[in-house]
Amino acid sequence: MTKHEFNPTILREYDIRGIIDETLFEADAEAIGRSLGTLLKRDGHRNAAVGYDGRTTSPKLKAALTKGLTSTGIDVFDIGMGPTPMLYYATYALNAGGGIMITGSHNPPSHNGFKMMLGGKSFYGSQIQDLGVLSATGPFSEGDGEVIDKPIMEDYVARLLQDFVPGHELSVVWDCGNGVTGEVLRKIVAKLPGRHLLLYEEIDGSFPNHHPDPTVAENLDDMIRAVKGVNADLGIAFDGDGDRIGVVDGLGRILWGDQLLAILAREVLANHPGAPIIADVKASQILFDAVKNLGGEPIMWRTGHSLIKSKMQEVNAPLAGEMSGHIFYNDHYYGYDDAPYVALRLLNILGASVQKLEQMRDELPEMINTPELRFPCPDEEKFQAVTRIQEALAKAGANYSDIDGVRVNTDDGWWLLRASNTQAVLVARCEAKDEAGLNRLKSQLQQALLDAKVDAPTF
């Protein structure tokens, strides 16, 4: 079988992702299938589930991937087009040894990629690099696998609705952003009580209305106008492949990932007293304090959906989340990030409460924070820069965490600096009790970068 070398830029920390016909080609998809199929066979697996999103390039990548997988003797369960969490669900429902989702997630239309599972776990980090080595060197398994059509959307929707508990009726605006959640959401809302308005549910890989990334405020503008216009209780938005969620309350105010997690934790901790709840290092101190006040065990962990999922399994946490809108339920569910499922669990909470979402939001303490600050730093330099800053902080006796980069605690609040695992950038964030404190934190961050000889913008 043909050996194949990938453009090294497409082998990321959590997935394989590139620009179609520039860094990512159909030959790459076939090589991924050949290499992953070989790894599956080595581990004693015989099959893999394959799904794809609504991008125009996804079908041809699926065909090439399937060719590579079947050439190793792996049978392919073709589950059709749907969200990434539908692929995750399929690996459990079909007892598949592996899972590959063809998706560009929230990236521009010219991008596409692959999210993978092996043996019921995320396939990431060094495993992706090892796959690249195997592709370039061989040897590969050989065989004659078959393609088996396994449309699973109806089962997936039924599983989502299984944990929905009807309460008082709600008015909800849903924004699918022309991503691949559209068909699933049409099926879901047809079964829900209340009033539901769908925006941009037509699946269109060119994303003609707005970019499908619910963590960028401007992408929620249409949903916010609709929520206010129809006097809805809340709005819920999804990214391009349905594993990240964005939420606004009835006043049109955005709830960021940590605020949403603090509200979801109420129900989970009421049923699992003392349980660990995980959030990434970018989350507000308000969340960690809220979990502690609710009787839970707050755990700060590294950013990255694959890393969070692995930590959940390790400590058996029922709930976890990231600022990026990845929310993970291991309570009545499978421990992966499924935005439609998270939406239904949120509706359970609101349908059972006399409080509106805006009242729940207002009960959380107010802090002042920066958005996520991202600035260029070469890949070969970014981790070294963070290490130099860690060493300086240790020498100065600073109060900091080094779980993922550095998160420095002061009387004013905290500042964070970490190297992105997916881009040639450093990521920073600051949070304080007031504006003066925030300015002091930004100055400290700026000075730390200056001392480490890192070029950075003025924050």
Side-chain angles (χ1 to χ4, degrees):
M1 288 188 182
T2 306
K3 297 173 184 177
H4 179 87
E5 291 194 16
F6 299 108
N7 183 315
T9 64
I10 73 172
L11 302 177
R12 309 296 184 90
E13 178 71 11
Y14 313 121
D15 53 26
I16 297 174
R17 195 184 306 173
I19 304 171
I20 293 295
D21 295 334
E22 288 187 26
T23 61
L24 181 64
F25 301 85
E26 288 176 67
D28 295 314
E30 184 176 347
I32 290 165
R34 195 162 53 238
S35 301
L36 192 62
T38 298
L39 294 174
L40 284 162
K41 290 289 285 290
R42 284 182 188 175
D43 285 357
H45 300 295
R46 296 175 297 174
N47 48 47
V50 172
Y52 64 100
D53 72 8
R55 290 165 189 264
T56 57
T57 57
S58 292
K60 69 178 185 180
L61 291 179
K62 184 192 79 165
L65 174 76
T66 299
K67 181 180 178 183
L69 284 165
T70 54
S71 74
T72 66
I74 290 292
D75 292 336
V76 171
F77 297 141
D78 184 348
I79 67 165
M81 183 170 67
T84 291
M86 187 175 90
L87 180 276
Y88 296 155
Y89 170 74
T91 65
Y92 290 94
L94 302 174
N95 196 28
I100 308 100
M101 178 69 187
I102 299 159
T103 177
S105 188
H106 61 280
N107 281 20
S110 58
H111 294 230
N112 216 325
F114 305 83
K115 294 180 179 179
M116 296 165 285
M117 295 180 70
L118 193 156
K121 296 181 179 180
S122 295
F123 187 88
Y124 69 100
S126 62
Q127 292 173 301
I128 291 176
Q129 299 304 318
D130 291 345
L131 183 144
V133 172
L134 174 60
S135 177
T137 61
F140 308 105
S141 296
E142 295 191 34
D144 189 17
E146 62 176 320
V147 179
I148 305 163
D149 284 334
K150 289 282 188 179
I152 205 165
M153 184 175 288
E154 296 295 340
D155 289 347
Y156 170 61
V157 170
R159 179 61 189 87
L160 293 174
L161 289 166
Q162 180 180 313
D163 291 341
F164 174 70
V165 181
H168 62 75
E169 293 191 354
L170 297 165
S171 174
V172 187
V173 175
W174 306 81
D175 186 347
C176 301
N178 299 114
V180 79
T181 56
E183 187 177 355
V184 165
L185 260 294
R186 279 196 294 269
K187 293 177 182 296
I188 288 173
V189 301
K191 302 283 189 179
L192 298 180
R195 184 168 57 116
H196 301 273
L197 172 63
L198 287 175
L199 299 180
Y200 313 137
E201 73 273 23
E202 304 84 7
I203 298 171
D204 185 337
S206 68
F207 308 120
N209 292 290
H210 64 72
H211 196 61
D213 183 350
T215 63
V216 177
E218 66 187 42
N219 295 334
L220 303 179
D221 285 349
D222 290 354
M223 184 171 73
I224 290 169
R225 278 193 293 271
V227 165
K228 292 179 178 179
V230 302
N231 195 29
D233 292 298
L234 73 158
I236 299 172
F238 304 101
D239 72 338
D241 67 328
D243 58 8
R244 295 192 299 132
I245 190 171
V247 174
V248 303
D249 67 17
L251 301 178
R253 299 176 302 177
I254 298 169
L255 278 81
W256 300 110
D258 48 8
Q259 294 172 309
L260 177 59
L261 197 61
I263 289 168
L264 298 174
R266 296 180 181 187
E267 177 202 33
V268 170
L269 288 172
N271 295 319
H272 302 280
I277 305 290
I278 304 169
D280 71 331
V281 294
K282 292 185 283 186
S284 170
Q285 188 61 39
I286 288 171
L287 168 63
F288 298 108
D289 291 345
V291 169
K292 190 173 183 179
N293 291 337
L294 289 165
E297 178 193 352
I299 296 178
M300 186 185 297
W301 197 240
R302 298 168 63 195
T303 293
H305 64 91
S306 300
L307 301 170
I308 296 280
K309 277 183 269 199
S310 296
K311 188 66 173 177
M312 284 189 85
Q313 292 177 345
E314 177 190 331
V315 302
N316 195 28
L319 180 67
E322 295 185 275
M323 286 298 294
S324 59
H326 288 280
I327 305 286
F328 314 78
Y329 268 98
N330 197 28
D331 172 51
H332 297 290
Y333 210 54
Y334 305 93
Y336 55 74
D337 35 345
D338 187 329
Y341 183 82
V342 175
L344 291 172
R345 292 293 293 260
L346 177 60
L347 296 190
N348 285 354
I349 293 169
L350 296 175
S353 177
V354 295
Q355 286 187 306
K356 290 183 171 290
L357 182 57
E358 48 265 35
Q359 293 170 308
M360 296 180 184
R361 183 189 187 277
D362 287 341
E363 286 182 352
L364 297 171
E366 282 291 334
M367 298 288 280
I368 301 173
N369 43 50
T370 65
E372 191 172 87
L373 306 165
R374 305 173 74 88
F375 53 95
C377 188
D379 278 324
E380 61 273 15
E381 165 66 14
K382 62 188 183 185
F383 290 106
Q384 295 174 19
V386 173
T387 297
R388 290 197 299 273
I389 290 173
Q390 282 178 348
E391 290 170 349
L393 290 166
K395 190 174 181 181
N399 176 4
Y400 72 96
S401 164
D402 60 0
I403 289 171
D404 186 0
V406 289
R407 177 163 161 151
V408 181
N409 301 303
T410 78
D411 290 340
D412 288 313
W414 57 270
W415 60 264
L416 169 75
L417 182 75
R418 59 180 292 274
S420 169
N421 284 314
T422 57
Q423 294 176 289
V425 298
L426 288 170
V427 182
R429 193 170 187 236
C430 306
E431 179 180 83
K433 298 163 189 162
D434 54 42
E435 201 69 49
L438 191 68
N439 289 332
R440 285 190 290 271
L441 291 170
K442 288 193 285 188
S443 295
Q444 291 165 22
L445 169 60
Q446 197 85 47
Q447 190 61 50
L449 289 163
L450 189 64
D451 292 344
K453 297 181 170 53
V454 177
D455 290 331
T458 300
F459 301 122

